[in-house]
Structures are given as structure tokens and as C-alpha cells.
Amino acid sequence: MSWIMILKAVGIIVAGTILFRIGGRKSISQMTITQVVIMIGIGSLLVQPLSGQGYWVTIGVATVLILSMVIMEYIEYKADGLETLISGKSVVVIEHGKLHEANLDKLRLTVDKLEMRLRQTGIADISDVEWATLEVSGNLGYTLKSHKQPATKEDINQLMALISQIVPVPATPQSETSSAASLFSEIKNGHQSKVPEKWQ
């Protein structure tokens, strides 16, 4: 293998890395159809100089593709109407716990595949879902009905406040509090080799 071929390979890796960094940090699952097509095209294009000629032409074309994608993203960012035209929009597949069959037909999405996606997110019953949409990226977005939503920290704090009004909550033992505090202070101040007597 000649040194020229090695230098070309290194140059392609460097150029490809820079171009993909300019293109953004989205994963394939977050990309629109246009972005996926451009990225696949660039991946195929960057290999061509190793098997033929046109090293600088290939990098130039790849740069044009990336710049086209960046310009399209900027246009989508500035104009909502064009964003829908270029990338599409979310489609409702479940509404108030019932399947939106007309939209499922448009998406060519079977009920079995939708149920599989719901199971992967931990949902056992379609009737538990208030709204579900198939996003532009292909991911499933959903909102559970209010009585099926998990409790937030705020909900728990409000419940604890109500309980404490009825039954006084016992104070946390000082020994447990000081023990927890000492664990974190050990991390801040560095580990001590001596084992505390209470743990021996």
C-alpha cells in the first residue's frame, strides 16, 4: 500500500468527521428523511476516492451536501410552513384511549406494530393512553390519562403535607442524618483509611 493511499484515507476520515460535526449530533432515529438520505449519500461518497480518482471533487461534493442540509435546517427553523413541507408533521394514532384508524391506514402502521411500540414504553393497555402521536423521527410520543400518570415529586410532597397535618411525621434520627452527611463530606475531603467504629 502506497503512502499516498494512506494519506488519502486519513484525509477522508478527517474531512468526514468535520463534515458530520457540521451536520449535527442527531442520531439516525432523530433525523428527518432528507437528513438520512444526505448522510447515507455522504457515507457512500467518501469511500469513492480510495477506489478511483477525484479526491478533492468528492470532498467538495460532500461539503455541498452538508451545507445544503444546514441551509434546509435553518429554513425549517425560520419558517413553520416550510418545516411541515420539508420534514412533515406528527400524526395522531391514539385519541382519548381509542385508535385513530384513518391515520394508521395513512401511515401503513398495523395495530400489532403500534401495540409493540406501546409495550416497549411500558404501556399495557391502549385505553390508558390519552394521546399518542407518531413523530417525524419515527418515535412514538404519548400522554397517559391523568389517573394512569406516575406521581411526581410535587404530588408526593403535597400528599406528605396532608398526612403530616393529620398525623405528625417523626423526625429523622440524628445518627442517620450525620452518617449521610459524613459520606458526602468524605467524597469532598478525600477518602479516609480508618474504618468508623460503628461499622466494625
Side-chain angles (χ1 to χ4, degrees):
M1 183 183 291
S2 66
W3 283 103
I4 294 174
M5 191 70 74
I6 294 171
L7 290 173
K8 280 186 176 182
V10 172
I12 287 168
I13 292 169
V14 172
T17 302
I18 292 169
L19 290 173
F20 281 120
R21 289 278 288 138
I22 294 169
R25 301 183 179 206
K26 294 179 183 177
S27 66
I28 291 293
S29 63
Q30 296 172 321
M31 288 183 179
T32 62
I33 295 170
T34 308
Q35 291 169 337
V36 171
V37 169
I38 289 174
M39 288 300 187
I40 291 172
I42 290 170
S44 304
L45 189 66
L46 289 176
V47 180
Q48 297 304 315
L50 295 180
S51 56
Q53 291 99 17
Y55 180 79
W56 293 109
V57 172
T58 300
I59 292 176
V61 172
T63 304
V64 169
L65 288 173
I66 286 290
L67 290 176
S68 300
M69 187 178 72
V70 170
I71 290 167
M72 288 176 69
E73 288 176 347
Y74 182 77
I75 291 170
E76 289 178 21
Y77 174 71
K78 288 294 183 180
D80 290 337
L82 289 175
E83 179 185 6
T84 303
L85 181 65
I86 294 170
S87 300
K89 60 181 180 179
S90 304
V91 179
V92 176
V93 291
I94 298 175
E95 190 173 354
H96 305 302
K98 295 182 181 178
L99 293 171
H100 204 301
E101 294 182 8
N103 287 345
L104 287 173
D105 291 340
K106 287 179 185 177
L107 295 167
R108 298 185 299 279
L109 180 66
T110 64
V111 176
D112 289 339
K113 287 183 179 177
L114 177 61
E115 288 176 344
M116 177 187 71
R117 292 192 179 202
L118 290 170
R119 284 194 298 272
Q120 288 173 340
T121 57
I123 298 171
D125 197 336
I126 290 174
S127 62
D128 294 342
V129 181
E130 182 68 23
W131 292 93
T133 56
L134 192 66
E135 304 299 332
V136 175
S137 63
N139 294 330
L140 188 71
Y142 66 90
T143 301
L144 295 173
K145 291 184 176 178
S146 57
H147 63 280
K148 289 291 183 178
Q149 292 176 4
T152 63
K153 190 171 183 180
E154 183 182 1
D155 295 331
I156 294 169
N157 287 338
Q158 289 176 354
L159 183 61
M160 291 297 292
L162 289 172
I163 292 172
S164 65
Q165 290 175 0
I166 301 168
V167 181
V169 179
T172 306
Q174 184 64 30
S175 60
E176 292 182 14
T177 308
S178 61
S179 173
S182 65
L183 287 176
F184 286 102
S185 64
E186 181 182 351
I187 292 171
K188 289 181 179 179
N189 301 327
H191 293 287
Q192 298 175 357
S193 58
K194 185 179 178 182
V195 178
E197 293 180 2
K198 62 180 178 180
W199 292 344
Q200 289 179 345

